[in-house]
Amino acid sequence: MGFTVHGFDLRMTHTLSLYQALTGAIVEVDLPDGRRLHVGLADVVFPEYVKVVKGEGLRREGGARGDLIITFRIQFPVRLSPLQKELLDAALRMPANLDDPKNLQGQLLHTAVNLPPDLAEWERKKVRRRIDLNACLDGWMDASR
């Protein structure tokens, strides 16, 4: 990562993937003085977004520091599959209030996203356990007659 110096401020440009720009990221910055800084990005980062990290630039006389100023570039994918386009379309059209516990659409989406990846196998095992339990109960009922 290259820096330019403006007074006591360090300026740099960092590239994020579109995924990181939309969902958040932690950017590692190796500073000229040998320190490694981890800059968290929780907000949506748009092209040419500027993040100012106070006090992480060059040291001034008296111990104070300038700032680290990071400008972000967003790397967009070259192509998307039809499924990716469909999923993005669905995600970006959803209402902003999905976190509201009263929002049924949000509850359904949360449930769908958190289903076990091996759902079919998990359901088969659950049915087998139920059948095995019924067989045991039937055998017990027959034996008690």
Side-chain angles (χ1 to χ4, degrees):
M1 288 181 215
F3 295 96
T4 57
V5 178
H6 295 273
F8 290 96
D9 294 337
L10 291 174
R11 292 182 175 267
M12 63 174 286
T13 300
H14 184 78
T15 302
L16 294 174
S17 70
L18 179 59
Y19 172 77
Q20 291 172 312
L22 293 174
T23 62
I26 296 177
V27 176
E28 287 187 0
V29 179
D30 291 323
L31 296 169
D33 63 5
R35 294 179 301 134
R36 176 170 284 168
L37 191 64
H38 295 88
V39 179
L41 302 168
D43 297 331
V44 171
V45 176
F46 49 87
E48 302 305 316
Y49 177 89
V50 176
K51 172 88 173 181
V52 177
V53 185
K54 294 283 187 193
E56 295 298 343
L58 299 176
R59 189 175 299 280
R60 302 174 192 214
E61 290 181 32
R65 288 184 175 270
D67 299 328
L68 171 64
I69 302 168
I70 309 170
T71 301
F72 290 93
R73 274 187 267 166
I74 311 304
Q75 182 177 3
F76 284 76
V78 177
R79 67 181 75 49
L80 294 172
S81 72
L83 177 60
Q84 288 173 314
K85 287 179 183 179
E86 192 175 324
L87 291 170
L88 277 171
D89 179 64
L92 295 175
R93 287 177 184 257
M94 290 187 179
N97 69 341
L98 284 177
D99 290 341
D100 183 348
K102 297 175 188 166
N103 185 314
L104 181 60
Q105 186 180 14
Q107 292 173 13
L108 291 171
L109 180 63
H110 178 76
T111 301
V113 168
N114 291 304
L115 289 174
D118 57 344
L119 178 64
E121 182 61 26
W122 184 75
E123 284 295 321
R124 276 195 290 277
K125 287 179 182 175
K126 190 166 83 173
V127 168
R128 279 191 214 117
R129 281 194 302 269
R130 192 168 288 148
I131 290 170
D132 291 344
L133 179 62
N134 286 339
C136 288
L137 288 174
D138 288 344
W140 179 76
M141 293 294 283
D142 289 340
S144 65
R145 290 182 190 164

